[in-house]
Amino acid sequence: MIDEDQVQKSLDWLVRNAEPAAKARATRTYLEEYRKSIKADLMAQKSGDALGAQERYAYSHPEYKAHLQTLRTAVEEDEKMRWLLVACEAKIECWRTMAANARAQGRI
């Protein structure tokens, strides 16, 4: 059974982690968009080559690969925060259902 103390802890977690969750999402979005700038800059270094060669150069460049590793970390953090939020919301929703059932049965 989920008690009110567990629900309160979930609510407290949601409030306490709103800013870190927002920052994780902002970082992820920024890195996803910045990846395009890195690719464009790297392709510009080979502007005389065919488009496919420019793209191959950009995707294989160490700077681009390093950025992908950073993006991977940001996505992992964002998803972790998202799933913790989902878990808190699910716990609260379960408690609400249990409380409603108890009221319907006259236990509250």
Side-chain angles (χ1 to χ4, degrees), residues 15 18 21 24 31 34 42 45 49 52 61 67 72 75 85-87 89-90 108:
V15 170
L31 290 171
Y34 188 61
L42 292 170
Q45 292 177 14
D49 294 354
H61 196 278
H67 181 75
R72 177 184 180 190
V75 169
L85 178 136
V86 167
E89 289 175 340
I108 295 181

Side-chain angles (χ1 to χ4, degrees), residues 54-107:
Q54 290 176 28
E55 198 167 43
R56 187 173 49 250
Y57 171 78
Y59 285 143
S60 66
H61 196 278
E63 181 182 354
Y64 190 84
K65 290 179 179 181
H67 181 75
L68 290 179
Q69 288 298 323
T70 303
L71 178 58
R72 177 184 180 190
T73 301
V75 169
E76 183 179 340
E77 181 62 23
D78 182 39
E79 288 297 311
K80 174 184 159 189
M81 294 301 286
R82 183 173 75 88
W83 285 109
L84 288 170
L85 178 136
V86 167
C88 285
E89 289 175 340
K91 184 180 287 186
I92 293 165
E93 190 57 35
C94 286
W95 174 81
R96 289 177 69 196
T97 301
M98 289 172 19
N101 290 341
R103 279 192 304 277
Q105 294 173 358
R107 292 186 292 180

Side-chain angles (χ1 to χ4, degrees), residues 1-2 6 26 43 79 85:
M1 295 296 275
I2 300 170
Q6 291 173 313
M43 287 178 71
E79 288 297 311
L85 178 136

